[in-house]
Amino acid sequence: QLQLVESGGGLVQPGGSLRLSCAASGFTLGYYPLYAIGWFRQAPGKEREGVSCISSSGGTTTYADSVKGRFTISRDNAKNTVYLQMNSLKPEDTAVYYCAARRTSCSGAKEVYLTWGQGTQVTVSS
C-alpha cells in the first residue's frame, strides 16, 4: 500500500526558509515500480497547484515559475524521502503543501497523481 507522509511545515517570516519532507512507504524510490513525486500546494479559496516534481529516475526536476530559483526538490533514496527546500519565502507561498506520486514521469496535472499525503501547513508571515 503506497503511502506518503509530509512534514516540516510551520510558521516562518518573509525571507526565511523551510525544508519539507515527503516520506514514502509501500514502494522504493528509484526501483520498480517507478514513481515520480510531485509537490503541490493549496491556499485558502484557491485551486491546488503544482509546485515542483522529481522524476522516477531523479534525473529530471521541474518547477512552477513562481518558485524557480527559490525552491529546490531533491530525494534521498536511502531514506526513501523527497525534500522541498524552500528559501526566500514570501507571504504568497502560504498554503497547505502536499506531495503526491504517479508512475514514472512528472506532470503538472494533479488529476493524474495516484497517491497523496495528508498535507503540511506552511505560513509565511511577520
Side-chain angles (χ1 to χ4, degrees), residues 22-63:
C22 173
S25 60
F27 68 100
T28 303
L29 291 172
Y31 288 85
Y32 189 85
L34 298 171
Y35 288 93
I37 304 295
W39 282 98
F40 292 78
R41 66 186 181 186
Q42 187 166 19
K46 294 189 176 181
E47 291 285 319
R48 191 172 298 188
E49 63 175 357
V51 174
S52 183
C53 184
I54 187 164
S55 65
S56 57
S57 69
T60 301
T61 57
T62 62
Y63 298 93

Side-chain angles (χ1 to χ4, degrees), residues 24-104:
S25 60
F27 68 100
T28 303
L29 291 172
Y31 288 85
Y32 189 85
L34 298 171
Y35 288 93
I37 304 295
W39 282 98
F40 292 78
R41 66 186 181 186
Q42 187 166 19
K46 294 189 176 181
E47 291 285 319
R48 191 172 298 188
E49 63 175 357
V51 174
S52 183
C53 184
I54 187 164
S55 65
S56 57
S57 69
T60 301
T61 57
T62 62
Y63 298 93
D65 288 343
S66 58
V67 306
K68 279 181 183 176
R70 300 188 298 122
F71 290 11
T72 303
I73 192 170
S74 63
R75 74 185 199 189
D76 184 335
N77 288 352
K79 295 183 178 180
N80 221 33
T81 298
V82 173
Y83 302 100
L84 185 68
Q85 178 67 45
M86 305 187 297
N87 298 329
S88 302
L89 283 161
K90 305 175 181 179
E92 51 263 44
D93 294 317
T94 296
V96 178
Y97 284 71
Y98 301 88
C99 61
R102 75 178 299 259
R103 293 294 300 274
T104 311

